[in-house]
Amino acid sequence: MNPIIAATIYPEDRSASKCIIWILLLALLIPGCSVFDPAKIERPATNSNQPGFDLPSTTIELAKPLETSSDPADLALCKEIAKTSASTDFPKSRWGIIVIGLSDGRVVCGQDAQGLFIPASIQKLITSAVSLDRLGGDYRFRTSVYAKKKIKKNGNLDGDLILYGRGSPDLSDKEIRDLVSQLKRKGLKRVKGNVIGDESYFTGDGLGDGWTWNSVQWYYGAAASALSVNDNQLRITVENGKPKAGRSFVELTGELKPVESIEAIGVKRELGTNKVYVWGNGKSLNARIAVNNPALFAARILKENLEKNGIRVSGGVKSSDWKNGRLKTRSADELASVESRALSDIIYKMNKDSVNLYAELILRTLGRKYGDQAPDADPKMQILRGDDSAGASVIKKWLKENDIADGEFAVHDGSGLSRLNLISPETIGRVLVFAAQSKFTGAFRKSLPVAGESGTLRGRLTNVRGKVIAKTGSITHVDSLAGYARSDRDTYAFAIIVNNETGKAGSGKTIDQIAALLTGE
């Protein structure tokens, strides 16, 4: 039997913590948490070659109001959808639904479609569309190594080595080893200074506006640093009763007692630190925690790799952010650099596996590059806001300029982990219509999980395998699903959002039943 641990989370996707479970005799739960359902844990994308289906060519004018269909077949389908959404175990929950036929833009079904809802991780659909439209699918993030002094002929650098990030979501040990190889080819043999992880490219907060404090210790709540590495997370295991981490960056304390009637293991990372405490009884653990100060983490990895390759470092590791002043790259020498995968590939992984960190880094990149084109209504905020808030303004402006949403909505992060986001199902539906007839439709479509085959839908909707491609969303008391469904009659853009969901079973099963109805099955 698998142990039940405090590190176990209840996400349908990485957008959130349905809850962190603390269980004693399978009965004691933190208020607001739902019962843990292993079937709802997100699984990594598999069968990534499964394409789902192509979207039809369409020219729907979003500037015009969407008209509700009076077709008898559509009315019958909508009646069945309403019946399904009403037959739940949590009648006090609130449902928002929109179904749009891509053949002509008619609203096949709407249920509180213009009401504002917390969207959870389907927020990433908006982030995807805006970034693909503004940055382009070929956009790449650059990470560099700088020095303010020259490397001498003897290989010495009389100063600091600066690892400078520009928001790359997929920087890892592999790219850092590449940087070290480039430095060796430049003749570097000794750093007579510190290795500095510089995240000053972004201003503002690394954590999303409206995130809950108990999310940020887990992998799905990792802070968005301009210098992020290895998804800003570490894996915690147990060896001989003692906690163990893959790297020495965290300070581990605590131990596990022998198994009693049930395995129950707790994991706690103190806020603002890398101190991790493990307690309880059991013998196995596999938890992923977010690291504090990712830029320092990246600098540590670079220093370790330098020394492994015979490059001595006299100093230690430090980090620097925008509060210390942005690095003036024009006054420093770029000694090495690497580029990320293309944005289309980044978004593919972001949506397939619902990676919050990727969405937050994309949001800040939008703010860094286009924030001046989306000024804040409050002049004071315009002066004070960071790239996170600027990115939200860029998204809001894009939604308005493309006739997707009016002024009645709220955007506070890029991933959907924030509870301050308020979006209507119709807005999500319009984003899907826009994406279906855009120049980036291929990259957008391919990024969506495929029913019964890939990403967060791999284990869902298996009865209509391949006929639904959609993004999942789930945080405490919220479930959502949005994407495309294909039937013999039409291909539909749809969004289903459930708020105030308190039932133990969750609304995912009912949502899937509605999505399956759209396929005609």
Side-chain angles (χ1 to χ4, degrees), residues 11-15 40-53 121-122 124-125 128 219 341 343-356 358-359 362 442-460 466 468-473 481-482 484:
E12 177 181 292
D13 57 84
R14 292 180 185 170
S15 64
K40 293 192 73 177
I41 294 181
E42 182 201 12
R43 297 169 174 81
T46 58
N47 299 326
S48 58
N49 291 328
Q50 296 289 345
F53 51 85
S121 201
I122 63 173
K124 292 184 179 72
L125 295 174
S128 299
Y219 69 96
R341 290 172 294 166
L343 178 64
S344 58
D345 294 329
I346 298 291
I347 286 177
Y348 180 94
K349 180 171 177 58
M350 178 183 81
N351 286 336
K352 288 287 187 184
D353 292 346
S354 201
V355 185
N356 289 338
Y358 286 19
I362 291 171
F444 185 88
R445 175 190 65 78
K446 290 175 183 177
S447 75
L448 300 179
V450 180
E453 294 177 355
S454 67
T456 55
L457 283 184
R458 186 184 69 173
R460 293 177 55 176
V468 174
I469 52 175
K471 180 74 196 71
T472 57
L481 184 69
Y484 306 98

Side-chain angles (χ1 to χ4, degrees), residues 249-402:
F249 190 67
V250 295
E251 180 184 336
L252 292 170
T253 58
E255 62 181 323
L256 297 179
K257 298 178 182 179
V259 178
E260 296 176 356
S261 58
I262 185 173
E263 288 191 75
I265 303 173
V267 176
K268 176 69 176 177
R269 197 207 78 192
E270 292 183 18
L271 289 175
T273 76
N274 282 307
K275 296 179 179 180
V276 179
Y277 181 66
V278 178
W279 77 101
N281 58 79
K283 59 183 180 180
S284 60
L285 174 66
N286 188 7
R288 286 179 289 163
I289 62 163
V291 299
N292 183 62
N293 198 344
L296 187 65
F297 184 38
R300 175 77 66 85
I301 295 172
L302 176 58
K303 182 174 183 287
E304 290 173 355
N305 278 275
L306 288 168
E307 293 174 337
K308 285 179 182 178
N309 283 271
I311 301 174
R312 297 168 59 193
V313 179
S314 300
V317 292
K318 295 183 177 182
S319 62
S320 180
D321 62 20
W322 62 275
K323 296 186 290 293
N324 307 123
R326 278 177 162 165
L327 176 67
K328 297 178 181 178
T329 56
R330 291 182 180 179
S331 61
D333 287 336
E334 186 182 52
L335 302 178
S337 67
V338 291
E339 289 191 336
S340 72
R341 290 172 294 166
L343 178 64
S344 58
D345 294 329
I346 298 291
I347 286 177
Y348 180 94
K349 180 171 177 58
M350 178 183 81
N351 286 336
K352 288 287 187 184
D353 292 346
S354 201
V355 185
N356 289 338
L357 176 62
Y358 286 19
E360 296 306 320
L361 292 172
I362 291 171
L363 175 79
R364 286 155 179 78
T365 300
L366 289 170
R368 178 73 160 84
K369 290 188 170 295
Y370 306 114
D372 60 343
Q373 301 172 23
D376 197 282
D378 185 343
K380 293 181 180 179
M381 285 304 300
Q382 176 66 24
I383 295 172
L384 299 175
R385 72 180 183 178
D387 291 324
D388 51 336
S389 296
S393 294
V394 171
I395 287 177
K396 287 185 280 189
K397 182 183 179 184
W398 185 91
L399 289 172
K400 293 177 181 179
E401 287 181 341
N402 289 286

